Amino acid sequence: MPIDIAASFSFGLSEPTDVLLQFEAARIPEQRILSSECRLSTAEKLVRVPAQDGIGERVWLRAEGVYEVEYRARVSVGRMLPDLAGLDWLQPHALPGETVQYLFDSRYCPATRFHPFVTAEFADLEGGALIAAMRDWVAGNFSYEPGSSNSNTTALDSFVERRGICRDYTHVMVTLARAASIPARYVSVYAPGVEPPDFHAVAEVFLADHTIVGGGAWHLVDATGMADPEHMVKIGVGRDAADVSFMTVFGMAEFREKDVRVTLSP
Amino acid sequence: MPIDIAASFSFGLSEPTDVLLQFEAARIPEQRILSSECRLSTAEKLVRVPAQDGIGERVWLRAEGVYEVEYRARVSVGRMLPDLAGLDWLQPHALPGETVQYLFDSRYCPATRFHPFVTAEFADLEGGALIAAMRDWVAGNFSYEPGSSNSNTTALDSFVERRGICRDYTHVMVTLARAASIPARYVSVYAPGVEPPDFHAVAEVFLADHTIVGGGAWHLVDATGMADPEHMVKIGVGRDAADVSFMTVFGMAEFREKDVRVTLSP
Amino acid sequence: MPIDIAASFSFGLSEPTDVLLQFEAARIPEQRILSSECRLSTAEKLVRVPAQDGIGERVWLRAEGVYEVEYRARVSVGRMLPDLAGLDWLQPHALPGETVQYLFDSRYCPATRFHPFVTAEFADLEGGALIAAMRDWVAGNFSYEPGSSNSNTTALDSFVERRGICRDYTHVMVTLARAASIPARYVSVYAPGVEPPDFHAVAEVFLADHTIVGGGAWHLVDATGMADPEHMVKIGVGRDAADVSFMTVFGMAEFREKDVRVTLSP
Amino acid sequence: MPIDIAASFSFGLSEPTDVLLQFEAARIPEQRILSSECRLSTAEKLVRVPAQDGIGERVWLRAEGVYEVEYRARVSVGRMLPDLAGLDWLQPHALPGETVQYLFDSRYCPATRFHPFVTAEFADLEGGALIAAMRDWVAGNFSYEPGSSNSNTTALDSFVERRGICRDYTHVMVTLARAASIPARYVSVYAPGVEPPDFHAVAEVFLADHTIVGGGAWHLVDATGMADPEHMVKIGVGRDAADVSFMTVFGMAEFREKDVRVTLSP
């Protein structure tokens, strides 16, 4: 069942300014872009560069005045969705080199500090079963409160305050996973059912599927429970929210509006 | 004039534990490894993976008991060292895709928060002249105090306390550069003249040399003033210290000793 | 010239809840309450207790439903206002016992960490001249930006981000003063000319006036420059904003509205 | 059974410097000083001022060179020690005015942020039973690790890292109690059985003993479990560790040695 995406946003730039955007469904094997249309205002410069881990693209603009982005796409998702709890831990030395950075602390995910908590709270669990327990712990102990966090809020803040939005739930999941030596990254997605409708964020962990030879792979985890990995359309990945904002301004911008709609195509 | 490196360290592991090491001079065009010798204790597993940006290697171990590392190398450095103040700023949209991550906030470098300070303190400066002014500002306002920082200390802490070690000087430099939309990364190096002798850390910024076609390149900056870019031997790079520790233990280890000697070969 | 105060605010409590209020002009020698009128909704309990340092009163309520506060007062201010720059430093051992707590770090004022900055930036200055230089430094380096801070923002955050509202300017002033071993406290005031009109906050430092015998006294300092100490009506004092909120709810409340008007009586 | 205290420490001051000390058993009704002896080096100035809440004294020095403090005392403790779990909560509006400051956030105890955690983790508990549950929660989830914290470590840090020393255990207890609207303060004590022997810190909460008319009183709580309230000799109290250091230097000092011995007199 394809997923229909309609996203638009606009902003005003009072002088020529560089802006970085990342808002399109990534062209990767697990999701097929059936159709897509992207309308952008005229820019002095427009450059596309591959985004992190080669997943999706970043769009650099240099523009001035009112700038509008309108994006529509129909995407068919076909990823493998093994039962999380049945996945195996990979000892760090067995990890592919490119996943190693996802073991380290990042801007919003100071994982090292959570080692004692993780060891005590989730003793005797490992791999996918551990990740599932972490997801359930976050889901059970946090409340989803729009407006309760800001761009300085780290997983440490959220862990103490026990609340946040998808960004914060994901930061806590990523942090707990890394504290257990499991590579974890932040994934920006389109997903139906998110309330209020918006860009969504989930975690992704690197675990092994023993039914597959050399089976290490990334697996999606949504601690908010709002979205189903079967219907998530990936936009980009990063160490945490610092890496995958849909819009980063290198100067001043006046944000004007944003509208994101994601539906299961009938 | 080649540089002679002799580094050794050891640690004790009470049970089989994964350890990540990164301590060898990187094999990259700007430095030639004339000779090298690496003695490691026997490990149950030993895997080498490419390190960040393909600069140097990370060594994964799985070992138990007392583990010793002994490394010797002679390296000839031949990098271009244009005058920093003469380098040009590259507008963000003109940056190669792989440098974009070095504009973002990272664990120890919350650059976004420094935008007002950088704008006010260094108004009217740009590119290499701006970086040189930042370096001089840090050098002039900070005091080098071993023991004044720890593994939680961020550039924000150091900026307020005005003190630290090479790690902290570098975090502040990286943070200020990124706050001015200049890609900056953390570089772990061997360098003669560091006092006390140890692994050293410096910043690297991405700027353009207009005397060269397509001249964007990484340029070393040492705000401590202790080492000379002409004689720095790069070990590895990362967004900040979280990425390039010489030793990261995924479990418990008892650190035993460390000895680092770097000299200009006569 | 008397000052006219008209303040009103209201909030809703869905169940019986304790609320602490502090919003009335303090009855202290330096300001005379010419007239005042305070209308409060009916409460299950209403208790008045002396506020910090005996300056003003705190009102404890236990109430339910919509609660309204309406306060009007005419106040004549008659405090001594010596030239700040002419005041002398009191060596700590010469301070009255009750001022000692105002040398220590508090929730929003981690003064100890600012010792190196203060020593370097304001070398060779002392007492009132030092405080005046700190006030000018804050005024010159910060921008007043409503919405740029929140209830977690400390002086350390504001110092880095170089912006805030009166609360934040005051926290930075208090922090810098304490870092120079000068007792400093946070004062909540009514003041004409504050834009937008609201409760205002300023710092108060303990310095000696050598023209007076035993002349240690508290002196007002407003780094925002918005208000004149001659016309400030004190509500209460504390170590920082944690101590002198106009309203603290011990449970849940829905804040409804607030209106504060302060004018020089014609 | 009286308690014998022998404490000594010394420090070097390279120029005339103000130092604040607080190290003597407080003369308060619940503990009788049977004998005491205090030897101090000669100081240019020596002033005693009452300490916070009138409990104990602070000693101001202005001195230079090597300074030695030697203190011996025999103290008989006779405080009431009702069963903690049987004590009642006082609604905030019923609290004496002087306890109100102990409901607020302080330097190391950002209690407001812990409200959701406390509400969820300790639902349905109140008063002394709640405090006992908090104490047991801390005791059960934290490990006592000398060297794991420093002078910047807050209750938020300790809560995440689940470890610390008596200072940190006390900060977490104080924070959790305040988050439940129970006044809590930090108490510096001498206590036998502390390992390693040193100044000790515990929390004190304000609760009501319904067997006594107007029975609100402060009650000691030691989450480390190392000391017995029956044998604690109070030195001073404060909002947190920022207020009751045994030694605060207003300048530079070289700390030389410290020796604290507390024993039950045979």
Side-chain angles (χ1 to χ4, degrees):
Chain A
M1 206 156 40
I3 291 144
D4 282 328
I5 298 162
S8 61
F9 54 96
S10 64
F11 48 92
L13 303 165
S14 60
E15 56 178 354
T17 304
D18 282 41
V19 178
L20 183 62
L21 304 177
Q22 189 170 7
F23 61 92
E24 296 159 300
R27 293 183 185 276
I28 47 176
E30 71 200 64
Q31 56 195 25
R32 199 149 49 94
I33 316 298
L34 303 179
S35 67
S36 77
E37 191 181 1
C38 179
R39 288 189 200 163
L40 302 173
S41 300
T42 307
E44 183 189 327
K45 303 275 183 184
L46 193 155
V47 184
R48 286 175 173 276
V49 293
Q52 195 153 328
D53 290 2
I55 295 175
E57 286 185 331
R58 289 174 175 139
V59 179
W60 276 112
L61 301 174
R62 185 166 182 85
E64 187 176 4
V66 174
Y67 199 89
E68 295 179 347
V69 174
E70 205 179 319
Y71 174 69
R72 285 170 184 281
R74 173 166 289 185
V75 182
S76 166
V77 175
R79 65 174 57 94
M80 291 199 296
L81 295 166
D83 179 38
L84 192 61
L87 297 172
D88 292 332
W89 185 48
L90 280 162
Q91 290 183 335
H93 70 264
L95 291 169
E98 70 272 18
T99 66
V100 174
Q101 66 169 306
Y102 295 107
L103 289 171
F104 298 146
D105 288 8
S106 62
R107 171 67 179 96
Y108 297 113
C109 301
T112 309
R113 307 185 69 181
F114 285 81
H115 191 67
F117 169 73
V118 162
T119 304
E121 183 77 23
F122 304 104
D124 304 324
L125 288 172
E126 207 180 85
L130 172 56
I131 293 293
M134 287 172 168
R135 180 200 57 201
D136 295 346
W137 184 87
V138 174
N141 285 285
F142 283 60
S143 59
Y144 197 92
E145 294 184 19
S148 65
S149 59
N150 59 47
S151 64
N152 286 333
T153 306
T154 68
L156 192 146
D157 296 309
S158 304
F159 177 80
V160 169
E161 300 188 356
R162 302 284 159 113
R163 63 184 183 193
I165 59 167
C166 60
R167 167 196 186 280
D168 308 299
Y169 277 68
T170 300
H171 284 158
V172 174
M173 267 307 302
V174 164
T175 300
L176 298 181
R178 290 182 192 164
S181 305
I182 296 172
R185 64 187 184 187
Y186 185 100
V187 191
S188 158
V189 301
Y190 287 112
V194 173
E195 197 52 49
D198 203 342
F199 294 99
H200 191 48
V202 298
E204 207 168 32
V205 295
F206 198 84
L207 291 170
D209 185 340
H210 65 95
T211 65
I212 298 175
V213 177
W218 289 103
H219 298 274
L220 292 159
V221 185
D222 183 357
T224 69
M226 291 198 301
D228 181 344
E230 191 181 339
H231 301 128
M232 290 178 191
V233 177
K234 292 185 185 173
I235 301 168
V237 302
R239 294 212 193 162
D240 57 32
D243 294 358
V244 277
S245 179
F246 75 98
M247 171 178 162
T248 309
V249 180
F250 292 79
M252 297 288 286
E254 178 209 357
F255 196 73
R256 296 163 67 100
E257 54 183 347
K258 182 175 58 169
D259 186 63
V260 176
R261 286 161 207 227
V262 185
T263 48
L264 280 176
S265 182
Chain B
M1 207 155 42
I3 292 142
D4 281 329
I5 298 161
S8 60
F9 53 97
S10 63
F11 47 93
L13 304 164
S14 60
E15 55 179 355
T17 304
D18 281 41
V19 178
L20 183 63
L21 305 176
Q22 187 170 8
F23 61 92
E24 296 159 302
R27 293 183 185 275
I28 46 177
E30 71 200 64
Q31 56 196 23
R32 198 145 53 92
I33 315 299
L34 303 177
S35 67
S36 77
E37 189 181 2
C38 178
R39 287 188 201 163
L40 301 174
S41 300
T42 307
E44 182 190 316
K45 304 274 183 184
L46 192 156
V47 183
R48 286 176 173 276
V49 293
Q52 196 153 326
D53 290 2
I55 295 174
E57 287 186 329
R58 290 174 174 138
V59 179
W60 276 111
L61 300 174
R62 185 168 182 83
E64 188 176 5
V66 173
Y67 199 90
E68 295 178 346
V69 174
E70 204 178 320
Y71 174 70
R72 286 170 183 282
R74 173 166 291 186
V75 182
S76 166
V77 175
R79 64 174 60 94
M80 290 197 299
L81 295 166
D83 179 37
L84 191 59
L87 296 173
D88 293 330
W89 184 49
L90 279 162
Q91 290 184 333
H93 71 265
L95 292 168
E98 69 273 18
T99 65
V100 175
Q101 65 170 307
Y102 295 107
L103 289 171
F104 298 146
D105 288 9
S106 62
R107 171 68 178 96
Y108 297 113
C109 302
T112 309
R113 307 186 68 181
F114 285 81
H115 191 67
F117 169 74
V118 163
T119 304
E121 185 77 23
F122 304 104
D124 304 323
L125 289 173
E126 206 178 86
L130 171 56
I131 293 292
M134 288 172 168
R135 179 200 58 202
D136 295 345
W137 184 87
V138 173
N141 284 284
F142 283 60
S143 58
Y144 197 91
E145 294 184 21
S148 65
S149 59
N150 60 45
S151 64
N152 286 332
T153 306
T154 68
L156 192 147
D157 296 311
S158 305
F159 176 82
V160 169
E161 300 187 355
R162 302 283 160 111
R163 63 186 182 192
I165 58 167
C166 60
R167 168 198 186 278
D168 308 299
Y169 278 68
T170 300
H171 284 157
V172 174
M173 266 309 300
V174 164
T175 299
L176 298 181
R178 290 182 192 165
S181 306
I182 296 172
R185 63 188 185 187
Y186 185 101
V187 191
S188 159
V189 301
Y190 286 111
V194 173
E195 197 52 51
D198 202 342
F199 294 99
H200 191 46
V202 298
E204 207 169 30
V205 295
F206 197 85
L207 290 170
D209 187 340
H210 66 95
T211 65
I212 298 175
V213 177
W218 289 103
H219 298 274
L220 291 159
V221 185
D222 183 357
T224 70
M226 291 198 302
D228 181 344
E230 192 180 339
H231 301 127
M232 290 178 190
V233 176
K234 292 186 185 173
I235 301 168
V237 302
R239 295 210 194 164
D240 58 32
D243 294 358
V244 277
S245 179
F246 76 97
M247 170 179 162
T248 310
V249 181
F250 292 79
M252 297 288 286
E254 179 208 358
F255 196 74
R256 296 163 68 100
E257 54 183 347
K258 182 176 57 170
D259 186 61
V260 176
R261 285 160 207 229
V262 185
T263 47
L264 280 175
S265 182
Chain C
M1 205 154 42
I3 291 143
D4 282 328
I5 298 162
S8 61
F9 53 95
S10 64
F11 47 91
L13 304 164
S14 59
E15 55 178 355
T17 304
D18 281 41
V19 178
L20 183 63
L21 304 177
Q22 189 170 6
F23 62 93
E24 297 159 302
R27 293 183 185 275
I28 46 177
E30 70 200 65
Q31 56 195 23
R32 198 148 52 92
I33 316 298
L34 303 178
S35 68
S36 76
E37 189 180 2
C38 179
R39 287 189 200 162
L40 301 174
S41 300
T42 307
E44 183 189 326
K45 304 274 182 184
L46 192 156
V47 184
R48 284 175 174 277
V49 294
Q52 197 154 325
D53 289 2
I55 294 174
E57 287 186 330
R58 289 176 174 137
V59 179
W60 276 113
L61 301 174
R62 185 168 182 81
E64 188 177 4
V66 173
Y67 198 89
E68 295 179 347
V69 174
E70 205 179 319
Y71 174 69
R72 285 171 182 281
R74 175 167 289 186
V75 183
S76 166
V77 175
R79 62 175 59 93
M80 290 198 299
L81 295 165
D83 179 39
L84 192 61
L87 297 172
D88 292 332
W89 185 49
L90 281 161
Q91 289 183 335
H93 70 265
L95 291 169
E98 69 273 17
T99 65
V100 175
Q101 66 169 308
Y102 295 107
L103 289 171
F104 298 146
D105 287 8
S106 62
R107 171 68 178 94
Y108 297 114
C109 302
T112 309
R113 308 185 69 181
F114 285 80
H115 190 68
F117 169 73
V118 163
T119 304
E121 183 77 24
F122 305 104
D124 304 324
L125 289 173
E126 205 179 86
L130 172 56
I131 292 293
M134 287 171 168
R135 179 200 56 200
D136 296 344
W137 184 87
V138 174
N141 285 284
F142 282 60
S143 58
Y144 196 91
E145 294 184 19
S148 66
S149 59
N150 59 47
S151 65
N152 286 333
T153 306
T154 69
L156 191 147
D157 296 311
S158 304
F159 176 82
V160 169
E161 300 188 354
R162 302 285 160 112
R163 64 186 182 190
I165 58 167
C166 60
R167 167 196 186 281
D168 309 299
Y169 277 69
T170 300
H171 284 158
V172 174
M173 266 309 300
V174 165
T175 300
L176 298 181
R178 290 182 193 164
S181 305
I182 296 172
R185 64 186 183 188
Y186 185 101
V187 191
S188 157
V189 302
Y190 286 112
V194 172
E195 197 52 51
D198 204 341
F199 294 99
H200 191 48
V202 299
E204 208 169 31
V205 295
F206 198 85
L207 292 170
D209 186 340
H210 66 97
T211 66
I212 298 175
V213 177
W218 288 103
H219 298 275
L220 292 159
V221 185
D222 184 357
T224 70
M226 291 198 301
D228 180 345
E230 191 180 338
H231 300 128
M232 290 179 190
V233 177
K234 292 185 186 174
I235 301 168
V237 303
R239 296 211 193 161
D240 57 33
D243 293 359
V244 278
S245 180
F246 75 98
M247 171 178 163
T248 310
V249 180
F250 292 80
M252 296 289 285
E254 177 208 359
F255 196 73
R256 295 162 68 100
E257 53 182 348
K258 182 174 58 170
D259 186 63
V260 175
R261 286 161 206 229
V262 186
T263 48
L264 281 176
S265 182
Chain D
M1 206 156 40
I3 291 141
D4 283 329
I5 298 161
S8 62
F9 54 97
S10 64
F11 47 93
L13 303 164
S14 59
E15 56 179 354
T17 304
D18 282 41
V19 178
L20 183 62
L21 304 177
Q22 188 170 6
F23 61 93
E24 297 159 301
R27 294 184 185 274
I28 46 177
E30 70 201 63
Q31 56 195 24
R32 199 147 52 90
I33 315 299
L34 303 178
S35 67
S36 76
E37 188 181 3
C38 178
R39 288 189 199 161
L40 302 173
S41 300
T42 307
E44 182 189 326
K45 304 274 182 184
L46 191 154
V47 185
R48 285 176 173 276
V49 293
Q52 196 153 326
D53 289 2
I55 295 174
E57 287 185 330
R58 290 175 174 136
V59 179
W60 277 110
L61 301 174
R62 184 167 184 82
E64 188 176 4
V66 173
Y67 200 89
E68 294 179 347
V69 174
E70 205 178 319
Y71 174 69
R72 287 172 182 281
R74 173 167 291 187
V75 182
S76 166
V77 175
R79 64 175 58 95
M80 290 197 298
L81 295 165
D83 179 38
L84 191 61
L87 296 171
D88 293 331
W89 185 49
L90 279 163
Q91 291 183 333
H93 70 266
L95 291 169
E98 69 272 18
T99 65
V100 175
Q101 66 170 308
Y102 295 108
L103 289 171
F104 297 146
D105 288 8
S106 62
R107 172 66 179 95
Y108 297 114
C109 302
T112 309
R113 307 186 69 182
F114 286 81
H115 190 68
F117 170 72
V118 163
T119 303
E121 184 77 23
F122 304 104
D124 304 323
L125 289 173
E126 206 180 86
L130 171 57
I131 292 293
M134 287 170 169
R135 179 199 57 203
D136 295 346
W137 183 88
V138 174
N141 284 284
F142 283 60
S143 59
Y144 197 92
E145 293 183 21
S148 65
S149 58
N150 60 47
S151 65
N152 285 332
T153 306
T154 69
L156 192 147
D157 296 311
S158 304
F159 176 81
V160 169
E161 299 188 356
R162 302 285 160 110
R163 63 186 183 191
I165 60 168
C166 60
R167 166 197 187 282
D168 309 299
Y169 277 69
T170 300
H171 284 157
V172 174
M173 266 309 299
V174 165
T175 299
L176 298 182
R178 289 182 193 166
S181 306
I182 296 172
R185 64 187 184 187
Y186 185 100
V187 191
S188 158
V189 301
Y190 287 112
V194 173
E195 198 53 50
D198 203 342
F199 294 99
H200 191 47
V202 299
E204 207 170 30
V205 295
F206 198 84
L207 291 171
D209 186 339
H210 66 96
T211 64
I212 298 175
V213 177
W218 288 104
H219 298 276
L220 292 159
V221 185
D222 184 356
T224 70
M226 292 198 301
D228 181 344
E230 191 180 340
H231 300 127
M232 290 178 192
V233 177
K234 292 185 185 175
I235 301 168
V237 303
R239 295 211 192 162
D240 57 32
D243 294 357
V244 279
S245 179
F246 77 96
M247 170 179 164
T248 310
V249 181
F250 292 79
M252 295 290 286
E254 178 209 359
F255 196 74
R256 295 164 67 99
E257 54 183 348
K258 181 174 59 172
D259 186 62
V260 176
R261 286 159 207 231
V262 186
T263 46
L264 280 175
S265 182

